[in-house]
Amino acid sequence: MSKRKKNGITALADEIIEQCDARHPADQLLRQALKNEKEMLPRHKAAVVERVYTYFRWKGCLDAERTLNRQVRMARELDADFLSYAGKIKSEVLRKVVPEWTAETMKVTREWLCQIQRPVTLWLRAPKASGKRVELAMKKELQPAGEGCWRNTFRYFGKEDLFQMSHFQHGHFEIQDLASQFVGNFCQPEPGENWWDMCAGEGGKTVHLADLLQQKGCVWATDRAAWRLQRLKRRAARAKIFNYQSAPWDGKSKPPFRKPFDGILLDAPCSGLGTWQRNPNARWTTTFEDVKELTELQFKLLESAVARLKPGGKLVYSVCTLTKQETTRVMRRFEKAFPEMEPWTWDGTKPAVPEVCELDFGKPVHGYTVQPDQWKSNGMFVARWRRRKKA
Ligand SMILES: C[S@@+](CC[C@H](N)C(=O)[O-])C[C@H]1O[C@@H](n2cnc3c(N)ncnc32)[C@H](O)[C@@H]1O
């Protein structure tokens, strides 16, 4: 690589590192900046991304008094040592890859810390109709996740830019993390049911639920951010999903739909600790205060959900975080406040955990934590209940 090219890459990456804050996450800044670099080669774009993320992965171990260039060099050395043999990194160093307050909210294990320093695993999900086609076309680069509801889930080992593939552009597969796919499967929607996806965002789970309904039944998708719902529409069109409706909803006003639902998914706004492998910059912008505030919002959204459930209706709560405040504590508070809701345990007849993880629930569960080091995925907490048929 010429010196000029190298300087261009370094300058662009460092500009992004300096602009990054809670309102301007690295992935968003990178997407915008790289879109404008029409002449830049893909491998040079990859080098920009690598510099930015390596810095944020190791930021807590770096000397902030040094120049940014020096810090990045240090981060790269740590990264190389870690990737050659994770045991080279002492526990007291590794502990600094996440902020100190994390220990007040969850059990910080070496396994978790190592996992979030590793390259991200890519997972795909093909709609029922195109699973076989995708598997045949990309056979060498795919590892199937399992049977049953995991039949069309694959780990991707290839090096191609998946967004540019014609199979992706024609909606033959979605890029969707394994933990997010688990949420859709844990909802167990039955064809013909009506579901409400309360915080649908860009529609990852809406599209999955709609597919599981096999075009029989409907998913009503709401979100506070109208721009996210626009992306949801593009995603649904690509996946050729039509059994959904969408409307903005701020979580406070009356929901835009009158009908009671057979099922509701609350994929709630959360502190996102479960995504710290994918978004290492978020480790340095999320605070313990955020965690406390979010638990109130999560509980309020759960309250709104209960009011909209049919007798016997199913409620699924998910958060891509691992803090006890937003997971087990919200679950316990909810169960105390709403005796009309009963735990809806996984019956164990279908493979709930993908075979590729070599895990099992062991016993029937209605609340479960997806551990990133066991699943090679985001961290996620999911709980589910049913509204009792009689009060
Ligand atoms: C975890 S994300 C949802 C991801 C989405 N379900 C998916 O699978 O792609 C949480 C979503 O909650 C939305 N949100 C945040 N506060 C909200 C509120 N008060 N009412 C409704 N939606 C809200 C955010 O805009 C965000 O899209």
Side-chain angles (χ1 to χ4, degrees):
M1 192 187 305
S2 74
K3 200 164 175 199
R4 215 166 124 231
K5 277 266 154 5
K6 203 168 167 192
N7 287 344
I9 290 167
T10 306
L12 183 58
D14 291 359
E15 208 177 295
I16 291 169
I17 290 173
E18 271 153 11
Q19 281 173 9
C20 195
D21 61 27
R23 287 194 302 128
H24 304 97
D27 59 341
Q28 213 177 77
L29 292 171
L30 280 164
R31 212 178 309 136
Q32 276 160 8
L34 297 178
K35 206 168 153 191
N36 296 336
E37 294 289 334
K38 305 259 186 268
E39 307 286 301
M40 199 182 250
L41 294 173
R43 67 170 196 279
H44 293 159
K45 290 186 178 180
V48 175
V49 175
E50 186 269 336
R51 185 173 170 95
V52 171
Y53 282 147
T54 306
Y55 167 78
F56 283 117
R57 268 202 305 278
W58 295 100
K59 181 177 152 87
C61 311
L62 309 174
D63 180 354
E65 300 289 305
R66 301 291 177 110
T67 63
L68 184 54
N69 209 28
R70 220 26 230 285
Q71 290 185 60
V72 175
R73 214 179 318 146
M74 175 78 190
R76 283 194 163 143
E77 282 167 22
L78 285 163
D79 212 44
D81 279 352
F82 174 78
L83 292 176
S84 69
Y85 173 52
K88 271 192 196 167
I89 309 290
K90 289 195 183 132
S91 290
E92 56 267 36
V93 175
L94 199 58
R95 182 61 200 79
K96 292 187 190 156
V97 303
V98 295
E100 264 177 38
W101 61 261
T102 316
E104 289 174 52
T105 67
M106 64 176 281
K107 195 165 176 229
V108 176
T109 61
R110 188 174 167 96
E111 288 77 19
W112 177 60
L113 294 171
C114 283
Q115 179 61 24
I116 63 172
Q117 295 305 92
R118 293 196 180 107
V120 167
T121 303
L122 274 176
W123 294 98
L124 312 184
R125 184 183 61 75
K128 208 164 182 264
S130 46
K132 219 50 260 132
R133 184 176 353 187
V134 168
E135 197 176 358
L136 285 174
M138 295 159 66
K139 209 171 178 141
K140 284 194 193 124
E141 290 109 22
L142 297 182
Q143 178 189 14
E147 285 303 320
C149 54
W150 297 104
R151 183 64 202 86
N152 291 324
T153 298
F154 306 98
R155 182 173 178 175
Y156 178 69
F157 289 100
K159 296 261 177 275
E160 300 260 333
D161 180 349
L162 290 168
F163 292 102
Q164 302 304 325
M165 277 189 184
S166 81
H167 277 297
F168 173 75
Q169 287 164 359
H170 287 98
H172 298 158
F173 68 81
E174 288 274 322
I175 302 159
Q176 191 179 27
D177 186 73
L178 194 65
S180 297
Q181 298 191 37
F182 174 63
V183 175
N185 288 335
F186 206 57
C187 289
Q188 273 187 302
E190 300 285 342
E193 288 180 344
N194 281 313
W195 276 73
W196 178 17
D197 186 0
M198 295 178 88
C199 295
E202 298 179 21
K205 297 183 189 75
T206 309
V207 167
H208 190 190
L209 289 176
D211 186 47
L212 290 169
L213 289 175
Q214 300 170 26
Q215 307 286 338
K216 296 175 205 116
C218 188
V219 185
W220 304 74
T222 56
D223 199 277
R224 188 175 67 168
W227 64 270
R228 289 208 164 108
L229 294 176
Q230 286 307 322
R231 292 193 177 179
L232 179 152
K233 286 182 191 167
R234 286 203 289 275
R235 189 175 204 158
R238 193 180 57 231
K240 297 171 195 67
I241 289 288
F242 306 107
N243 53 329
Y244 82 97
Q245 301 270 349
S246 68
W249 177 61
D250 63 3
K252 291 186 212 119
S253 51
K254 265 192 169 171
F257 317 117
R258 281 249 189 96
K259 47 168 57 207
F261 290 91
D262 301 298
I264 298 180
L265 167 62
L266 169 58
D267 187 33
C270 69
S271 57
L273 270 69
T275 67
W276 279 2
Q277 183 180 9
R278 208 171 291 277
N279 302 312
N281 54 291
R283 303 175 193 179
W284 315 110
T285 51
T286 308
T287 66
F288 192 30
E289 285 310 304
D290 295 333
V291 173
K292 287 190 253 171
E293 274 172 33
L294 282 158
T295 57
E296 287 311 308
L297 176 58
Q298 289 151 356
F299 188 76
K300 287 219 155 57
L301 290 167
L302 276 170
E303 261 180 341
S304 307
V306 174
R308 290 289 166 148
L309 270 181
K310 281 183 185 172
K314 308 157 183 176
L315 173 60
V316 179
Y317 170 72
S318 60
V319 274
C320 55
T321 195
L322 299 164
T323 71
K324 55 182 182 245
Q325 287 82 353
E326 297 167 272
T327 59
T328 44
R329 281 198 193 158
V330 165
M331 175 172 155
R332 275 205 296 274
R333 182 176 166 199
F334 175 75
E335 289 177 353
K336 228 170 161 183
F338 293 96
E340 65 268 46
M341 300 298 296
E342 60 183 352
W344 175 30
T345 48
W346 185 271
D347 56 18
T349 52
K350 289 182 186 170
V353 181
E355 281 155 44
V356 73
C357 299
E358 294 176 8
L359 286 167
D360 207 342
F361 284 164
K363 56 179 182 222
V365 294
H366 79 289
Y368 181 79
T369 304
V370 171
Q371 297 291 355
D373 47 297
Q374 294 174 337
W375 284 59
K376 310 284 175 277
S377 70
N378 283 346
M380 184 80 76
F381 174 80
V382 192
R384 63 183 207 173
W385 305 271
R386 287 191 92 133
R387 188 184 194 109
R388 290 178 205 275
K389 291 210 169 118
K390 282 187 194 147

